[in-house]
Amino acid sequence: QVQLVESGGGLVQAGGSLRLSCAASGRIFSINRMAWHRQAPGKQRELVAAITGDGSTDYADSVKGRFTISKDNVKNPVYLQMNSLKPEDTAVYYCYADVLAIGAAQRGYWGQGTQVTVSS
């Protein structure tokens, strides 16, 4: 069993910053990729940023230059540093990990989500 636990959400004024963390635990052999997605009310869940085991990153156009995804190593927490936040960044942010667990097939796992609210 694999668990993803997010932290760091909250309420911030426009222009402010927040840092989200996602920690993976359980019987993990390897993690291929971790990512942050978000879902605003009435909208589909969308990819915000992703990082692979070799450190390659990918960002949604709407957050490029403002958000940074990083990790210490593939099994330690993954962070999403969010700067210059805008009201349109308001959403529930979900951590996702593509995991090969011991004794199980490789598959994706989701965290429970953390609310980010940006006031204007």
Side-chain angles (χ1 to χ4, degrees):
Q1 191 75 340
V2 173
Q3 298 84 36
L4 301 179
V5 178
E6 303 115 329
S7 61
L11 173 65
V12 65
Q13 288 189 329
S17 299
L18 284 174
R19 190 176 81 156
L20 306 182
S21 298
C22 175
S25 63
R27 294 171 54 82
I28 297 170
F29 179 77
S30 64
I31 301 178
N32 181 48
R33 177 175 175 272
M34 295 188 76
W36 288 95
H37 295 247
R38 67 186 180 188
Q39 187 166 19
K43 295 188 176 181
Q44 289 189 329
R45 191 172 297 189
E46 62 175 357
L47 174 68
V48 176
I51 188 166
T52 61
D54 65 1
S56 299
T57 58
D58 187 28
Y59 295 93
D61 288 342
S62 59
V63 306
K64 283 180 181 177
R66 301 188 297 122
F67 291 10
T68 302
I69 189 169
S70 63
K71 62 178 179 64
D72 293 326
N73 66 57
V74 72
K75 292 186 179 180
N76 280 344
V78 170
Y79 305 100
L80 184 68
Q81 178 67 43
M82 304 185 293
N83 299 328
S84 302
L85 282 160
K86 304 175 181 179
E88 51 264 43
D89 294 318
T90 296
V92 178
Y93 283 69
Y94 296 92
C95 181
Y96 172 88
D98 183 17
V99 177
L100 178 58
I102 296 170
Q106 185 157 351
R107 52 159 283 195
Y109 294 83
W110 290 95
Q112 293 180 308
T114 185
Q115 177 70 46
V116 171
T117 303
V118 184
S119 63
S120 57

